[in-house]
Amino acid sequence: MVLVTAVLALAFQGGDVAAYLLLIGILGVTLFLFFDVRRYRAFDASRARIRVLEENLFANSLDPEAAPMAEWRRELAADLRTPTFKVSYFEALSRRLRKVYYPLYVLLGVAWAFRISLYTPEQSWVETASIPGLAGALVVVTVAVFFLVVTAFTFWPQEREARGEYHGEVSGKWKR
């Protein structure tokens, strides 16, 4: 949020600030997205282990019925010895885009479109979109392709692969 706010403030401060500063902001948000996907996968693995304890240890201590997983102790011990991610990279990327990053991309994309088209009326939008060394038309096509790919990753229909317990989802299998 701080990065997006700073980039927006700098891009619209007036003067000779180039429109591609917003594209640099999009690049910065993308770097944060990749870091966050990695962090999310590690969080999800820990969350899945805690969920196994909740289902099998804590729930059974309150209501001593059969545990949902017969071999839960072995499964949990094996996962603690050799940890594995429980969610795929693509699923984590899609979830982080949907929850946090896609609205930031849309905000920066709309600001960039506004900046190249309406903010400098004395220049054509193709000239304003140019980056030193790259023609404006090429930049516009590249940004459009980027947004199409990000939108596809965000809204691609998929089943949740990770073991889920909320949002009305049926609990998946423990991933090894």
Side-chain angles (χ1 to χ4, degrees), residues 129-172:
S130 66
I131 295 175
L134 292 174
L138 178 63
V139 173
V140 170
V141 168
T142 303
V143 170
V145 167
F146 173 80
F147 273 95
L148 285 173
V149 169
V150 166
T151 302
F153 274 129
T154 304
F155 297 110
W156 192 265
Q158 65 202 2
E159 293 291 321
R160 177 163 164 78
E161 294 177 17
R163 186 177 174 88
E165 67 274 357
Y166 296 113
H167 311 295
E169 298 172 1
V170 175
S171 193

Side-chain angles (χ1 to χ4, degrees), residues 28-159:
V29 169
T30 302
L31 291 174
F32 282 124
L33 171 64
F34 290 139
F35 295 143
D36 195 33
V37 166
R38 202 176 142 183
R39 181 211 54 84
Y40 179 78
R41 291 181 78 198
F43 158 77
D44 188 71
S46 297
R47 184 206 54 81
R49 287 185 203 111
I50 296 298
R51 186 65 185 140
V52 167
L53 284 173
E54 289 173 347
E55 286 177 334
N56 295 284
L57 179 65
F58 301 143
N60 279 338
S61 68
L62 298 173
D63 184 16
E65 292 182 11
M69 286 175 60
E71 297 292 321
W72 70 273
R73 288 180 180 96
R74 273 193 191 84
E75 297 280 344
L76 186 58
D79 191 63
L80 287 170
R81 286 187 184 100
T82 55
T84 57
F85 289 122
K86 310 297 184 254
V87 63
S88 69
Y89 190 87
F90 178 73
E91 183 180 352
L93 178 68
S94 179
R95 291 178 71 82
R96 296 318 296 157
L97 279 167
R98 257 183 270 141
K99 300 284 182 185
V100 177
Y101 290 91
Y102 191 72
L104 296 175
Y105 280 136
V106 169
L107 176 66
L108 287 171
V110 168
W112 179 76
F114 175 76
R115 180 71 174 79
I116 66 167
S117 61
L118 300 175
Y119 195 71
T120 53
E122 64 276 355
Q123 287 183 328
S124 75
W125 62 272
V126 176
E127 291 172 2
T128 308
S130 66
I131 295 175
L134 292 174
L138 178 63
V139 173
V140 170
V141 168
T142 303
V143 170
V145 167
F146 173 80
F147 273 95
L148 285 173
V149 169
V150 166
T151 302
F153 274 129
T154 304
F155 297 110
W156 192 265
Q158 65 202 2
E159 293 291 321

